[in-house]
Amino acid sequence: MFAHLPILQVILPLVAAPSCLIIRKSTLVWLFTLLVSFAALVVSVLLLQQVYAEGAISYRLGGWEAPWGIEYRIDLLNAWVLLIVSALSSVVLAAARTSVAQELEASRQTVFYALYLLCFAGLLGIVATGDVFNVFVFLEISSLSTYALIALGRDRRALWAAFQYLIMGTIGATFLLIGIGFLYMMTGTLNMADLATLIPAMDQSTTVLAAFAFIFVGICLKLALFPLHMWLPNAYSCAPSIVTAFLAATATKVALYLLLRFTFTVFGIQFSLSHLPMDTLLVGLGLVGVFAASGVAIYQANIKRMLAFSSVAQVGYMVVGIGIGTVTALQATLLHLFNHALMKGGLFLALAGLVYRLGGCRIEHFNGLGRTMPWTMAAIVIGGISLIGMPLTVGFVSKWYLIAAAIEQQLWWVAVLVVLGSLLAVVYIWRLVEAAYFQPANSDAVTEAPLGILLPTWLLIAANIYFGIDTRLPVEVTAAAAQFLIGGAAP
């Protein structure tokens, strides 16, 4: 079985998704989905341990040798992302029973869990595969299920948000497919490792340049990199609370993984950041995204929407690290990928508890919550402090590495802008603190969020503090993964 872990990671949720439709009782289908996600988490832990100890794993589907057959290739980079996706999925699902039962009719809950597992399988498949066409296939699986999950929101605006994401997502997937087609036309292969050996010999080809451009734009649409982010605020604010928490913690992280994989592995750092001026473009877009999205977040009355714009800003920090392109900068990006999943997962689960009790999460709903829902509000405050980047939280660790990377390259202006961008987060987080602790409560009848939501929320919030103090695991793994991306040496 250990030899088949790479395919087992994807097959488990993929086969389990239609199986949900056989189970009629909502509690049983939730438990089944949770067990599948937890099994995927165990597989991802075993894969990370194996890769860290022995090096990259190559799994040939059907026994066909790559590049003729499809290969799943697990190295330290995607093993790390697989762990993040499966861990966050498991924690979010632990809160799903309570939240979904309140937000969705019983007749829709079985379909919800089937779609959730399809989306989960698609995200895992994108990360695990070593075949660029398979990336497109799994991207479509995850995207189509995501559109349906967003449309399940009880607000009728969820249909418009899903349709808007459908249009933007289809454009992004089409761009990606065109780029893959150009690469196949030039190289005759779809295997990532094979492409990495063939592309350097044809880096002056306009077809390869066009392929890079199409793939870059397609991925950035999925990543919600400014200014290609306009689908994300509506999708996050209108989707069911559990869907928002899951997407915020995983989907953009997988898109960022794709950007790293194509930039540093498939096309190579020499082509992507030296032959083309992508370093300047990525740093510029990332910093503009930080300030533009943070500025808009300050004025949002819907807190889901506020945190959605905050996610666009946080994507900017990660892209800045890719643009700088050093080992320390890439480590900062990989650290922030992990840290942001913990932050936003915890924050959106806390909002799920708020929606459960109050039916909404606008700024006026926060009045007096520090007294009526003290544990939920404390979780939001700690998650917000981590988002700002205060010491002893995970947010501080990744931003510290990013600032250090900028200073190493004498990019003092980048370091200063990163600090100023973090200060903008203080403004919109303070709005929540002010309403919760300095305004009278709307009603004294409001009670604390149910334990089914509160416990998973605090698990992620506690992780924000724990990994902000004991940084050994994320720092060691990301340092090795960053070195692998830059040097190409086996981890």
Side-chain angles (χ1 to χ4, degrees):
M1 180 177 289
F2 284 97
H4 299 287
L5 287 178
I7 190 65
L8 195 61
Q9 179 85 92
V10 181
I11 287 294
L12 272 173
L14 194 61
V15 172
S19 303
C20 288
L21 300 176
I22 303 171
I23 307 171
R24 298 294 182 184
K25 193 171 177 59
S26 58
T27 302
L28 289 178
V29 73
W30 164 76
L31 183 60
F32 174 73
T33 307
L34 179 62
L35 289 174
V36 170
S37 183
F38 186 76
L41 172 59
V42 173
V43 172
S44 66
V45 171
L46 293 173
L47 282 172
L48 181 60
Q49 289 177 337
Q50 187 175 345
V51 169
Y52 200 78
E54 303 173 12
I57 303 168
S58 176
Y59 184 87
R60 303 175 184 88
L61 271 68
W64 288 83
E65 289 282 345
W68 305 107
I70 296 172
E71 178 190 31
Y72 279 21
R73 187 170 183 82
I74 310 296
D75 55 30
L76 203 52
L77 173 61
N78 52 359
W80 178 240
V81 179
L82 287 171
L83 176 64
I84 294 169
V85 172
S86 54
L88 268 295
S89 170
S90 299
V91 177
V92 168
L93 273 173
R97 177 175 175 241
T98 306
S99 180
V100 169
Q102 194 259 356
E103 292 191 36
L104 296 180
E105 300 90 345
S107 59
R108 287 181 159 192
Q109 290 176 26
T110 298
V111 175
F112 169 85
Y113 289 112
L115 290 169
Y116 184 101
L117 283 177
L118 275 177
C119 182
F120 183 43
L123 294 174
L124 293 176
I126 292 170
V127 178
T129 187
D131 181 277
V132 290
F133 186 74
N134 260 225
V135 167
F136 169 75
V137 172
F138 283 117
L139 184 69
E140 285 299 280
I141 292 172
S142 66
S143 296
L144 290 171
S145 51
T146 300
Y147 306 147
L149 285 169
I150 293 169
L152 288 174
R154 56 186 175 183
D155 192 324
R156 289 191 64 181
R157 288 176 296 180
L159 293 174
W160 169 246
F163 179 72
Q164 186 183 35
Y165 186 21
L166 169 65
I167 299 302
M168 297 295 288
T170 302
I171 294 171
T174 302
F175 272 51
L176 182 65
L177 185 59
I178 291 171
I180 291 170
F182 281 166
L183 287 181
Y184 184 72
M185 181 176 71
M186 292 299 296
T187 63
T189 183
L190 296 168
N191 183 269
M192 290 183 183
D194 210 29
L195 285 168
T197 63
L198 295 173
I199 287 176
M202 51 186 73
D203 60 358
Q204 299 296 325
S205 167
T206 53
T207 306
V208 173
L209 289 170
F212 182 86
F214 275 109
I215 289 171
F216 176 80
V217 173
I219 292 173
C220 287
L221 271 165
K222 291 292 184 179
L223 180 59
L225 175 64
F226 180 90
L228 305 174
H229 66 285
M230 293 311 298
W231 61 268
L232 187 140
N234 289 335
Y236 280 18
S237 59
C238 297
S241 298
I242 290 299
V243 175
T244 304
F246 176 62
L247 293 180
T250 60
T252 51
K253 315 303 173 290
V254 171
L256 188 83
Y257 159 80
L258 277 183
L259 185 60
L260 286 165
R261 179 63 74 195
F262 275 97
T263 301
F264 291 93
T265 302
V266 177
F267 287 95
I269 188 171
Q270 191 67 29
F271 178 90
S272 303
L273 300 184
S274 299
H275 186 68
L276 295 173
M278 295 306 297
D279 50 351
T280 304
L281 179 63
L282 288 171
V283 171
L285 287 178
L287 289 173
V288 171
V290 167
F291 283 90
S294 297
V296 175
I298 292 171
Y299 297 99
Q300 297 303 308
N302 184 308
I303 305 307
K304 271 190 179 184
R305 193 172 177 85
M306 182 194 82
L307 291 180
F309 277 106
S310 169
S311 290
V312 176
Q314 301 302 312
V315 166
Y317 290 117
M318 291 183 261
V319 169
V320 168
I322 298 175
I324 294 173
T326 62
V327 172
T328 306
L330 287 180
Q331 185 179 5
T333 293
L334 293 173
L335 280 170
H336 206 59
L337 187 151
F338 171 66
N339 297 343
H340 185 246
L342 296 179
M343 296 175 210
K344 283 299 166 61
L347 283 168
F348 278 115
L349 282 184
L351 289 185
L354 195 80
V355 171
Y356 185 92
R357 288 301 186 206
L358 301 175
C361 57
R362 295 181 63 82
I363 187 66
E364 55 266 25
H365 289 123
F366 277 77
N367 290 343
L369 279 191
R371 294 178 291 278
T372 57
M373 297 179 73
W375 286 100
T376 301
M377 196 58 219
I380 291 173
V381 170
I382 295 173
I385 288 172
S386 185
L387 193 66
I388 293 166
M390 295 291 287
L392 303 182
T393 65
V394 291
F396 172 78
V397 177
S398 44
K399 288 183 180 179
W400 176 268
Y401 273 83
L402 183 58
I403 291 168
I407 293 174
E408 281 178 6
Q409 298 303 111
Q410 302 299 310
L411 298 172
W412 293 93
W413 61 277
V414 173
V416 170
L417 290 177
V418 168
V419 173
L420 292 177
S422 298
L423 293 178
L424 285 178
V426 176
V427 180
Y428 55 79
I429 294 300
W430 174 252
R431 292 179 64 215
L432 304 183
V433 174
E434 183 180 22
Y437 294 100
F438 298 99
Q439 296 293 332
N442 296 328
S443 170
D444 293 330
V446 177
T447 57
E448 188 56 84
L451 281 177
I453 297 176
L454 206 56
L455 291 177
T457 300
W458 270 97
L459 179 61
L460 292 179
I461 295 302
N464 273 269
I465 300 172
Y466 176 80
F467 288 110
I469 298 171
D470 185 358
T471 62
R472 288 173 295 177
L473 173 65
V475 166
E476 287 177 9
V477 174
T478 55
Q483 185 62 54
F484 165 67
L485 284 173
I486 292 293

PDB file of all heavy atoms in Angstrom, residues 165-185:
ATOM      1  N   TYR A 165     -17.886  33.717 -11.244  1.00  0.00           N
ATOM      2  CA  TYR A 165     -16.699  32.871 -11.101  1.00  0.00           C
ATOM      3  C   TYR A 165     -16.611  31.867 -12.247  1.00  0.00           C
ATOM      4  O   TYR A 165     -15.518  31.551 -12.730  1.00  0.00           O
ATOM      5  CB  TYR A 165     -16.744  32.158  -9.749  1.00  0.00           C
ATOM      6  CG  TYR A 165     -15.499  31.364  -9.414  1.00  0.00           C
ATOM      7  CD1 TYR A 165     -14.273  31.618 -10.030  1.00  0.00           C
ATOM      8  CD2 TYR A 165     -15.536  30.372  -8.443  1.00  0.00           C
ATOM      9  CE1 TYR A 165     -13.140  30.898  -9.707  1.00  0.00           C
ATOM     10  CE2 TYR A 165     -14.396  29.640  -8.117  1.00  0.00           C
ATOM     11  CZ  TYR A 165     -13.216  29.908  -8.757  1.00  0.00           C
ATOM     12  OH  TYR A 165     -12.090  29.178  -8.446  1.00  0.00           O
ATOM     13  N   LEU A 166     -17.763  31.375 -12.695  1.00  0.00           N
ATOM     14  CA  LEU A 166     -17.791  30.447 -13.834  1.00  0.00           C
ATOM     15  C   LEU A 166     -17.177  31.094 -15.072  1.00  0.00           C
ATOM     16  O   LEU A 166     -16.350  30.482 -15.769  1.00  0.00           O
ATOM     17  CB  LEU A 166     -19.236  30.027 -14.121  1.00  0.00           C
ATOM     18  CG  LEU A 166     -19.501  29.272 -15.427  1.00  0.00           C
ATOM     19  CD1 LEU A 166     -18.808  27.911 -15.410  1.00  0.00           C
ATOM     20  CD2 LEU A 166     -20.997  29.097 -15.659  1.00  0.00           C
ATOM     21  N   ILE A 167     -17.560  32.330 -15.357  1.00  0.00           N
ATOM     22  CA  ILE A 167     -17.032  33.032 -16.530  1.00  0.00           C
ATOM     23  C   ILE A 167     -15.529  33.258 -16.385  1.00  0.00           C
ATOM     24  O   ILE A 167     -14.736  32.932 -17.283  1.00  0.00           O
ATOM     25  CB  ILE A 167     -17.757  34.378 -16.729  1.00  0.00           C
ATOM     26  CG1 ILE A 167     -19.256  34.154 -16.961  1.00  0.00           C
ATOM     27  CG2 ILE A 167     -17.138  35.143 -17.900  1.00  0.00           C
ATOM     28  CD1 ILE A 167     -19.581  33.283 -18.149  1.00  0.00           C
ATOM     29  N   MET A 168     -15.119  33.802 -15.247  1.00  0.00           N
ATOM     30  CA  MET A 168     -13.700  34.083 -15.041  1.00  0.00           C
ATOM     31  C   MET A 168     -12.876  32.799 -14.979  1.00  0.00           C
ATOM     32  O   MET A 168     -11.781  32.706 -15.536  1.00  0.00           O
ATOM     33  CB  MET A 168     -13.510  34.877 -13.745  1.00  0.00           C
ATOM     34  CG  MET A 168     -14.165  36.244 -13.745  1.00  0.00           C
ATOM     35  SD  MET A 168     -13.429  37.352 -14.967  1.00  0.00           S
ATOM     36  CE  MET A 168     -11.849  37.686 -14.207  1.00  0.00           C
ATOM     37  N   GLY A 169     -13.427  31.775 -14.310  1.00  0.00           N
ATOM     38  CA  GLY A 169     -12.723  30.507 -14.203  1.00  0.00           C
ATOM     39  C   GLY A 169     -12.570  29.818 -15.542  1.00  0.00           C
ATOM     40  O   GLY A 169     -11.532  29.199 -15.821  1.00  0.00           O
ATOM     41  N   THR A 170     -13.604  29.924 -16.377  1.00  0.00           N
ATOM     42  CA  THR A 170     -13.539  29.323 -17.711  1.00  0.00           C
ATOM     43  C   THR A 170     -12.485  30.017 -18.568  1.00  0.00           C
ATOM     44  O   THR A 170     -11.735  29.359 -19.309  1.00  0.00           O
ATOM     45  CB  THR A 170     -14.915  29.401 -18.403  1.00  0.00           C
ATOM     46  OG1 THR A 170     -15.881  28.721 -17.593  1.00  0.00           O
ATOM     47  CG2 THR A 170     -14.873  28.752 -19.773  1.00  0.00           C
ATOM     48  N   ILE A 171     -12.409  31.333 -18.459  1.00  0.00           N
ATOM     49  CA  ILE A 171     -11.367  32.068 -19.198  1.00  0.00           C
ATOM     50  C   ILE A 171      -9.986  31.626 -18.723  1.00  0.00           C
ATOM     51  O   ILE A 171      -9.088  31.356 -19.527  1.00  0.00           O
ATOM     52  CB  ILE A 171     -11.550  33.585 -19.009  1.00  0.00           C
ATOM     53  CG1 ILE A 171     -12.854  34.053 -19.667  1.00  0.00           C
ATOM     54  CG2 ILE A 171     -10.356  34.349 -19.595  1.00  0.00           C
ATOM     55  CD1 ILE A 171     -13.217  35.490 -19.350  1.00  0.00           C
ATOM     56  N   GLY A 172      -9.818  31.521 -17.409  1.00  0.00           N
ATOM     57  CA  GLY A 172      -8.527  31.092 -16.871  1.00  0.00           C
ATOM     58  C   GLY A 172      -8.159  29.689 -17.317  1.00  0.00           C
ATOM     59  O   GLY A 172      -7.018  29.431 -17.718  1.00  0.00           O
ATOM     60  N   ALA A 173      -9.125  28.758 -17.277  1.00  0.00           N
ATOM     61  CA  ALA A 173      -8.856  27.383 -17.697  1.00  0.00           C
ATOM     62  C   ALA A 173      -8.550  27.310 -19.187  1.00  0.00           C
ATOM     63  O   ALA A 173      -7.699  26.523 -19.623  1.00  0.00           O
ATOM     64  CB  ALA A 173     -10.057  26.499 -17.355  1.00  0.00           C
ATOM     65  N   THR A 174      -9.233  28.139 -19.976  1.00  0.00           N
ATOM     66  CA  THR A 174      -8.980  28.160 -21.423  1.00  0.00           C
ATOM     67  C   THR A 174      -7.572  28.665 -21.720  1.00  0.00           C
ATOM     68  O   THR A 174      -6.864  28.096 -22.563  1.00  0.00           O
ATOM     69  CB  THR A 174     -10.017  29.053 -22.126  1.00  0.00           C
ATOM     70  OG1 THR A 174     -11.333  28.563 -21.835  1.00  0.00           O
ATOM     71  CG2 THR A 174      -9.800  29.051 -23.625  1.00  0.00           C
ATOM     72  N   PHE A 175      -7.176  29.716 -21.038  1.00  0.00           N
ATOM     73  CA  PHE A 175      -5.811  30.217 -21.212  1.00  0.00           C
ATOM     74  C   PHE A 175      -4.790  29.147 -20.860  1.00  0.00           C
ATOM     75  O   PHE A 175      -3.794  28.955 -21.559  1.00  0.00           O
ATOM     76  CB  PHE A 175      -5.593  31.463 -20.336  1.00  0.00           C
ATOM     77  CG  PHE A 175      -5.978  32.751 -21.008  1.00  0.00           C
ATOM     78  CD1 PHE A 175      -7.215  32.903 -21.597  1.00  0.00           C
ATOM     79  CD2 PHE A 175      -5.097  33.813 -21.048  1.00  0.00           C
ATOM     80  CE1 PHE A 175      -7.567  34.093 -22.227  1.00  0.00           C
ATOM     81  CE2 PHE A 175      -5.434  35.011 -21.667  1.00  0.00           C
ATOM     82  CZ  PHE A 175      -6.672  35.146 -22.263  1.00  0.00           C
ATOM     83  N   LEU A 176      -5.035  28.451 -19.750  1.00  0.00           N
ATOM     84  CA  LEU A 176      -4.118  27.391 -19.330  1.00  0.00           C
ATOM     85  C   LEU A 176      -4.046  26.292 -20.387  1.00  0.00           C
ATOM     86  O   LEU A 176      -2.950  25.827 -20.744  1.00  0.00           O
ATOM     87  CB  LEU A 176      -4.577  26.807 -17.989  1.00  0.00           C
ATOM     88  CG  LEU A 176      -3.703  25.710 -17.384  1.00  0.00           C
ATOM     89  CD1 LEU A 176      -2.333  26.258 -17.006  1.00  0.00           C
ATOM     90  CD2 LEU A 176      -4.378  25.095 -16.156  1.00  0.00           C
ATOM     91  N   LEU A 177      -5.188  25.895 -20.926  1.00  0.00           N
ATOM     92  CA  LEU A 177      -5.217  24.828 -21.931  1.00  0.00           C
ATOM     93  C   LEU A 177      -4.508  25.258 -23.220  1.00  0.00           C
ATOM     94  O   LEU A 177      -3.796  24.452 -23.842  1.00  0.00           O
ATOM     95  CB  LEU A 177      -6.662  24.437 -22.228  1.00  0.00           C
ATOM     96  CG  LEU A 177      -6.861  23.247 -23.175  1.00  0.00           C
ATOM     97  CD1 LEU A 177      -6.194  22.001 -22.615  1.00  0.00           C
ATOM     98  CD2 LEU A 177      -8.345  22.998 -23.422  1.00  0.00           C
ATOM     99  N   ILE A 178      -4.684  26.503 -23.627  1.00  0.00           N
ATOM    100  CA  ILE A 178      -3.992  26.995 -24.828  1.00  0.00           C
ATOM    101  C   ILE A 178      -2.480  26.946 -24.612  1.00  0.00           C
ATOM    102  O   ILE A 178      -1.718  26.511 -25.484  1.00  0.00           O
ATOM    103  CB  ILE A 178      -4.453  28.433 -25.161  1.00  0.00           C
ATOM    104  CG1 ILE A 178      -5.908  28.427 -25.634  1.00  0.00           C
ATOM    105  CG2 ILE A 178      -3.546  29.050 -26.238  1.00  0.00           C
ATOM    106  CD1 ILE A 178      -6.506  29.816 -25.784  1.00  0.00           C
ATOM    107  N   GLY A 179      -2.037  27.378 -23.437  1.00  0.00           N
ATOM    108  CA  GLY A 179      -0.608  27.332 -23.126  1.00  0.00           C
ATOM    109  C   GLY A 179      -0.070  25.913 -23.137  1.00  0.00           C
ATOM    110  O   GLY A 179       1.014  25.643 -23.676  1.00  0.00           O
ATOM    111  N   ILE A 180      -0.821  24.980 -22.579  1.00  0.00           N
ATOM    112  CA  ILE A 180      -0.408  23.572 -22.585  1.00  0.00           C
ATOM    113  C   ILE A 180      -0.348  23.038 -24.016  1.00  0.00           C
ATOM    114  O   ILE A 180       0.578  22.300 -24.379  1.00  0.00           O
ATOM    115  CB  ILE A 180      -1.383  22.730 -21.728  1.00  0.00           C
ATOM    116  CG1 ILE A 180      -1.223  23.094 -20.253  1.00  0.00           C
ATOM    117  CG2 ILE A 180      -1.148  21.233 -21.937  1.00  0.00           C
ATOM    118  CD1 ILE A 180      -2.297  22.510 -19.353  1.00  0.00           C
ATOM    119  N   GLY A 181      -1.324  23.439 -24.823  1.00  0.00           N
ATOM    120  CA  GLY A 181      -1.313  23.015 -26.229  1.00  0.00           C
ATOM    121  C   GLY A 181      -0.086  23.517 -26.974  1.00  0.00           C
ATOM    122  O   GLY A 181       0.530  22.775 -27.761  1.00  0.00           O
ATOM    123  N   PHE A 182       0.293  24.749 -26.727  1.00  0.00           N
ATOM    124  CA  PHE A 182       1.515  25.299 -27.358  1.00  0.00           C
ATOM    125  C   PHE A 182       2.756  24.512 -26.931  1.00  0.00           C
ATOM    126  O   PHE A 182       3.635  24.216 -27.746  1.00  0.00           O
ATOM    127  CB  PHE A 182       1.677  26.772 -26.982  1.00  0.00           C
ATOM    128  CG  PHE A 182       0.793  27.705 -27.770  1.00  0.00           C
ATOM    129  CD1 PHE A 182       0.616  29.018 -27.353  1.00  0.00           C
ATOM    130  CD2 PHE A 182       0.142  27.284 -28.927  1.00  0.00           C
ATOM    131  CE1 PHE A 182      -0.193  29.896 -28.072  1.00  0.00           C
ATOM    132  CE2 PHE A 182      -0.662  28.146 -29.656  1.00  0.00           C
ATOM    133  CZ  PHE A 182      -0.831  29.448 -29.222  1.00  0.00           C
ATOM    134  N   LEU A 183       2.829  24.179 -25.647  1.00  0.00           N
ATOM    135  CA  LEU A 183       3.980  23.413 -25.168  1.00  0.00           C
ATOM    136  C   LEU A 183       4.033  22.036 -25.812  1.00  0.00           C
ATOM    137  O   LEU A 183       5.102  21.554 -26.199  1.00  0.00           O
ATOM    138  CB  LEU A 183       3.916  23.263 -23.638  1.00  0.00           C
ATOM    139  CG  LEU A 183       4.225  24.500 -22.799  1.00  0.00           C
ATOM    140  CD1 LEU A 183       4.138  24.178 -21.312  1.00  0.00           C
ATOM    141  CD2 LEU A 183       5.600  25.068 -23.125  1.00  0.00           C
ATOM    142  N   TYR A 184       2.889  21.399 -25.937  1.00  0.00           N
ATOM    143  CA  TYR A 184       2.858  20.068 -26.564  1.00  0.00           C
ATOM    144  C   TYR A 184       3.234  20.150 -28.045  1.00  0.00           C
ATOM    145  O   TYR A 184       3.935  19.280 -28.570  1.00  0.00           O
ATOM    146  CB  TYR A 184       1.466  19.450 -26.406  1.00  0.00           C
ATOM    147  CG  TYR A 184       1.379  18.041 -26.932  1.00  0.00           C
ATOM    148  CD1 TYR A 184       1.997  16.990 -26.258  1.00  0.00           C
ATOM    149  CD2 TYR A 184       0.686  17.758 -28.106  1.00  0.00           C
ATOM    150  CE1 TYR A 184       1.927  15.692 -26.737  1.00  0.00           C
ATOM    151  CE2 TYR A 184       0.617  16.465 -28.594  1.00  0.00           C
ATOM    152  CZ  TYR A 184       1.242  15.431 -27.902  1.00  0.00           C
ATOM    153  OH  TYR A 184       1.179  14.152 -28.391  1.00  0.00           O
ATOM    154  N   MET A 185       2.797  21.214 -28.689  1.00  0.00           N
ATOM    155  CA  MET A 185       3.121  21.401 -30.099  1.00  0.00           C
ATOM    156  C   MET A 185       4.637  21.537 -30.299  1.00  0.00           C
ATOM    157  O   MET A 185       5.193  21.028 -31.270  1.00  0.00           O
ATOM    158  CB  MET A 185       2.415  22.644 -30.632  1.00  0.00           C
ATOM    159  CG  MET A 185       2.656  22.940 -32.107  1.00  0.00           C
ATOM    160  SD  MET A 185       1.691  24.365 -32.666  1.00  0.00           S
ATOM    161  CE  MET A 185       2.549  25.695 -31.847  1.00  0.00           C
TER     162      MET A 185
END
